[in-house]
Amino acid sequence: MTKSVVKNILNIAVVLSTAMFFSCKNDPTEVRDFLADKNLPIGESYNIDHKHTDSGRIDVKMKAPIMLDFDNRKVHPYSEFPKGLKITSIDKNYDSITVEGDYAKSYKLTQVAEIRENVVIINYKEKTKLVTDEIYWDQKTHYFFTEKRFVFYTLTDTIYGTGFEASEDLKKWWVKNQSGVIEIKD
């Protein structure tokens, strides 16, 4: 082949490649809808070690091995933690409460989190501990609730039951169906 034929073929290839390159577009809405249709997250984060500060003081810590971001959902955008998470909230007196589980999903619009499998919530100051397989956490009203079996430990009691509701700090709580010995003060 002569140089001019090779040069013409290269020129044609360059023109076609350029035309293909500029004819493709990635509209963010189309990409989001495509990922939502395929049930794919729009973002993935690994080995999360998040700290939130208020006036220079750390008030919330969150650790999670994986977070999948499904903010591309039109109806119920959420974040998923398929390998679990641990959240520690610290008040101004440095008392802390931890919430942890092996799986979690946090819905953005309703601000309700679903935490499942080996759920443990501890208030270190009050020395109370809740253990269950599933808990819902309403972050707007600072409220926990479950209809599953649970064990709730206080300084004096161990309460077993099904159905539990509590304030986020476990100071106020209600038990639906319980068993165990409970100390009642007069």
Side-chain angles (χ1 to χ4, degrees):
M1 285 193 322
T2 64
K3 283 185 175 181
S4 63
V5 173
V6 171
K7 197 172 192 180
N8 285 338
I9 292 173
L10 283 174
N11 286 338
I12 292 170
V14 168
V15 168
L16 288 175
S17 297
T18 305
M20 285 176 40
F21 177 74
F22 285 107
S23 69
C24 295
K25 66 177 182 174
N26 285 333
D27 179 23
T29 305
E30 288 179 19
V31 172
R32 184 188 73 226
D33 291 344
F34 171 79
L35 293 173
D37 289 343
K38 300 295 182 194
N39 199 30
L40 297 171
I42 59 169
E44 298 178 6
S45 300
Y46 297 94
N47 299 318
I48 298 166
D49 189 1
H50 174 78
K51 293 174 179 71
H52 181 270
T53 59
D54 182 14
S55 303
R57 181 184 62 79
I58 295 174
D59 61 349
V60 176
K61 295 181 193 178
M62 183 183 79
K63 290 188 175 207
I66 299 172
M67 182 186 88
L68 303 175
D69 183 4
F70 289 92
D71 251 0
N72 53 343
R73 300 297 185 269
K74 290 178 184 174
V75 179
H76 293 292
Y78 64 91
S79 297
E80 182 177 17
F81 302 87
K83 301 229 179 196
L85 60 74
K86 180 177 182 177
I87 299 172
T88 304
S89 60
I90 306 162
D91 69 14
K92 292 179 181 178
N93 298 322
Y94 299 101
D95 296 323
S96 64
I97 297 166
T98 60
V99 178
E100 61 183 303
D102 293 345
Y103 174 87
K105 208 182 251 190
S106 180
Y107 294 94
K108 183 178 183 179
L109 298 179
T110 60
Q111 293 184 11
V112 172
E114 168 189 2
I115 306 168
R116 294 190 314 224
E117 301 165 25
N118 301 311
V119 178
V120 179
I121 303 169
I122 301 172
N123 179 327
Y124 291 97
K125 180 182 179 187
E126 299 293 319
K127 296 180 177 35
T128 55
K129 177 179 173 181
L130 175 68
V131 178
T132 185
D133 283 329
E134 179 182 75
I135 198 89
Y136 291 92
W137 181 8
D138 187 331
Q139 296 166 17
K140 279 193 257 184
T141 61
H142 307 284
Y143 187 76
F144 291 116
F145 58 95
T146 185
E147 294 299 323
K148 300 288 185 181
R149 295 180 55 78
F150 70 89
V151 181
F152 185 59
Y153 301 95
T154 68
L155 278 173
T156 57
D157 306 314
T158 300
I159 303 165
Y160 301 88
T162 304
F164 184 87
E165 298 178 24
S167 59
E168 194 173 71
D169 58 7
L170 298 179
K171 288 182 181 179
K172 296 178 184 175
W173 45 274
W174 303 266
V175 176
K176 294 184 180 179
N177 298 308
Q178 67 190 33
S179 62
V181 177
I182 301 172
E183 182 180 304
I184 298 175
K185 297 177 185 175
D186 290 330

